[in-house]
Amino acid sequence: MRFPLPRPAWLLTMCISLAGCNAADRPADVAPPADMRERVDLVVEGAHVVTMDAANTVIEGGAVAVNEGVIVAVGLIEDIRREYRAAETLAGDSRVVMPGLVNGHTHAAMSLLRGVADDLALMDWLNNYIFPAEVEFVDAEFVRIGTELACWEMIRGGTTTFVDMYYYPDTIAEVVEQCGLRALVSATVIDQSSPDADNAADSLEKGIAFVERWQGRNDRITPIFGPHAIYTLDAGQLSATRAAARRLHAPLSIHVAESPFEVEYSQDNYGTTPIAMLDSIGFLDGPTIAAHVVWTADSEIPLLATKSVGVIHNPTSNMKLASGVSPVTQLLGAGVRVGIGTDGAASNNDLDMWEEMRLTTLLEKVEEMDPQALSAADVLRMATAGGASAIGLGEVTGSIEPGKRADIIQVGFDDVHHVPTYNVVSHLVYVTDEQDVDSVVVDGRVLLRDGQFPTLDTARIAREARDLGSRLRTALEERNR
Ligand SMILES: [Zn+2]
């Protein structure tokens, strides 16, 4: 280390320039007043703290103290400042502090297939575009780049937890480990030649090995099984997957009753509805995250509550693929835990949970022909505490309360669409977009601050994604020629 001045002169300069550096003037027996405040790693301050606790508490001029990844206190800014000395503080002027968003269903790496095929029905889209493109192009490298791209987008937009279902789950988990997000990573089980397995038995065997490898390895990452759907697995394969999940105490996520095709397939092959079929083989007896749940008979809704199935509503995907409208109001009314997901970026076409919240409430209002259906507060809960509960992480994340992991975001309320603000929760649901998110903290670690992503090399990810995209475009053009 080089000093700009000879050492004694430098020390003198420092002492003149720093207030309080007057040890020479102070009697030797009077020590500076000790700071009695408790030391914590991080304090996040806000003009409002929307806690999403059971009472929907919103604190004006609030702050959250975080230590070793855990929320240790929530309160008024002046109280937190008086009690805690933070190594780092995220200032809160005109910012709203809230829990990070929970994206309950996605296929992260499909962000590389965004816009490859649009304006098609689910089965046409899947069978004639997505599955063939995946068999041809998807490998571990594709999954790594695609998942990094998706994690970047999710951090940018304030998502802190997601449930993924795709191929090469080890690669997905490695990316999640590195980027700092929280995730349930599914090993896809599917009875067809897929990028990382030959058939159902092969994908299940690999899935079991994946779950065993990752259980207990990283508290942020929960390895789970992802049996694809009742039309890509038969009853025996679905039962075998549930049995493996039960043996390993792992949850599973599955697409359920997504489209009219699935209902017809279920009637033709099992003589009953998708939900009744799954129930008849005991598949719902264990932690289950059911994505979509659009086509469900009224009589089946109480069953989903009884079996504690977590339902994930995917409004954009359901609208874009014309799959239908999930009966969200009835599900919530029956006590079903319902969260929100974006689905993959190939059927959305982004991972924007703000848009998903807005569409959830707007779609429900027009479906019910009732402007009071699904209030802003209801939807905000589905995207935070409710979603966390639906995916089995209700004790871990989803609200700002002491004891929970510190998954917290700051939303800037400076931009024109937030001026003036009468009701913060209304603005979060009906106005806010991804670009308003200023800071993201997961497990106490800052993943977005001042436009910087400390865990991501965004320039490299963008370069690799563009390169892969142009190779994919060329190959698709050749194939379609
Ligand atoms: Zn899906």
Side-chain angles (χ1 to χ4, degrees):
M1 187 171 180
R2 284 173 56 116
F3 295 100
L5 297 168
R7 202 175 230 273
W10 170 81
L11 273 176
L12 184 64
T13 312
M14 284 287 288
C15 283
I16 291 167
S17 64
L18 289 179
C21 188
N22 55 353
D25 301 332
R26 193 187 295 134
D29 58 342
V30 180
D35 192 335
M36 300 298 286
R37 295 178 300 168
E38 188 178 327
R39 188 208 162 278
V40 292
D41 296 332
L42 177 70
V43 164
V44 185
E45 298 182 348
H48 296 83
V49 177
V50 178
T51 64
M52 299 312 295
D53 64 6
N56 279 333
T57 306
V58 177
I59 304 167
E60 263 184 68
V64 187
V66 174
N67 201 42
E68 295 183 348
V70 178
I71 296 170
V72 294
V74 186
L76 294 169
I77 285 185
E78 53 266 32
D79 293 341
I80 296 292
R81 285 180 182 169
R82 194 173 54 244
E83 296 289 326
Y84 298 96
R85 177 166 52 96
E88 179 178 11
T89 298
L90 298 176
D93 308 327
S94 68
R95 285 171 169 165
V96 172
V97 174
M98 62 173 280
L101 302 171
V102 177
N103 184 347
H105 177 70
T106 190
H107 312 277
M110 291 183 88
S111 53
L112 285 170
L113 296 173
R114 191 191 328 252
V116 157
D118 295 317
D119 309 323
L120 299 166
L122 174 65
M123 297 319 292
D124 185 12
W125 177 79
L126 265 183
N127 289 329
N128 300 320
Y129 295 87
I130 297 304
F131 285 154
E134 286 178 338
V135 168
E136 203 168 331
F137 302 114
V138 174
D139 56 16
E141 181 72 351
F142 178 103
V143 171
R144 179 184 63 76
I145 298 168
T147 308
E148 286 183 324
L149 190 67
C151 288
W152 174 10
E153 183 177 352
M154 284 189 276
I155 294 170
R156 177 71 197 93
T159 291
T160 52
T161 297
F162 69 106
V163 179
D164 202 38
M165 184 198 287
Y166 211 57
Y167 309 106
Y168 299 98
D170 285 280
T171 303
I172 299 168
E174 283 160 16
V175 170
V176 173
E177 188 164 56
Q178 200 275 326
C179 80
L181 283 170
R182 188 180 306 285
L184 274 64
V185 179
S186 315
T188 296
V189 181
I190 192 165
D191 192 29
Q192 61 191 36
S193 174
S194 71
D196 63 353
D198 297 330
N199 51 41
D202 188 27
S203 57
L204 179 56
E205 192 181 316
K206 286 171 175 160
I208 290 168
F210 161 73
V211 171
E212 287 174 338
R213 262 195 301 281
W214 281 86
Q215 273 184 334
R217 180 162 155 181
N218 184 320
D219 287 345
R220 283 186 288 106
I221 299 168
T222 308
I224 69 172
F225 291 92
H228 179 264
I230 64 156
Y231 54 87
T232 46
L233 293 162
D234 65 25
Q237 293 158 347
L238 288 163
S239 293
T241 308
R242 170 53 82 190
R246 200 173 286 130
R247 181 170 65 76
L248 291 170
H249 305 288
L252 46 76
S253 71
I254 178 171
H255 299 95
V256 177
E258 178 175 1
S259 68
F261 161 83
E262 183 178 333
V263 176
E264 212 179 300
Y265 180 94
S266 185
Q267 287 295 347
D268 291 350
N269 289 272
Y270 303 109
T272 186
T273 64
I275 290 169
M277 179 271 173
L278 288 170
D279 184 45
S280 73
I281 61 169
F283 186 90
L284 302 177
D285 297 326
T288 307
I289 302 163
H292 298 286
V293 188
V294 172
W295 297 96
T296 171
D298 288 351
S299 59
E300 293 171 338
I301 291 176
L303 175 73
L304 296 171
T306 309
K307 300 284 181 182
S308 295
V309 172
V311 168
I312 304 301
H313 178 47
N314 298 260
T316 301
S317 176
N318 293 346
M319 291 164 79
K320 184 161 184 261
L321 299 166
S323 296
V325 183
S326 177
V328 174
T329 299
Q330 288 78 2
L331 288 165
L332 287 170
V336 179
R337 295 171 301 145
V338 187
I340 301 176
T342 58
D343 213 349
S347 63
N348 185 300
N349 289 359
D350 56 40
L351 306 176
D352 182 348
M353 284 291 293
W354 305 98
E355 181 182 36
E356 224 61 34
M357 273 195 273
R358 202 138 50 234
L359 287 174
T360 292
T361 172
L362 297 180
L363 182 59
E364 198 57 14
K365 289 179 195 313
V366 75
E367 172 72 2
E368 295 288 314
M369 284 306 286
D370 177 5
Q372 296 187 333
L374 278 189
S375 69
D378 294 337
V379 173
L380 194 61
R381 181 157 294 278
M382 289 171 72
T384 54
S389 169
I391 65 168
L393 293 184
E395 302 293 312
V396 176
T397 187
S399 63
I400 298 182
E401 297 177 85
K404 283 208 173 177
R405 305 302 301 182
D407 298 350
I408 301 167
I409 64 175
Q410 282 183 319
V411 180
F413 265 48
D414 272 333
D415 214 339
V416 61
H417 54 203
H418 289 303
V419 181
T421 301
Y422 301 107
N423 180 320
V424 171
V425 170
S426 161
H427 271 246
L428 288 172
V429 171
Y430 292 116
V431 179
T432 299
D433 62 39
E434 288 181 321
Q435 309 306 317
D436 294 329
V437 176
D438 284 341
S439 318
V440 174
V441 175
V442 176
D443 226 34
R445 184 179 181 194
V446 180
L447 306 187
L448 171 63
R449 179 206 300 112
D450 302 329
Q452 301 296 310
F453 299 83
T455 60
L456 297 172
D457 182 349
T458 53
R460 173 188 59 74
I461 297 166
R463 188 176 63 246
E464 291 182 347
R466 284 201 186 94
D467 286 353
L468 206 148
S470 68
R471 289 205 302 278
L472 197 134
R473 182 205 306 258
T474 307
L476 281 175
E477 282 170 0
E478 276 171 18
R479 199 182 64 150
N480 294 336
R481 194 171 289 146

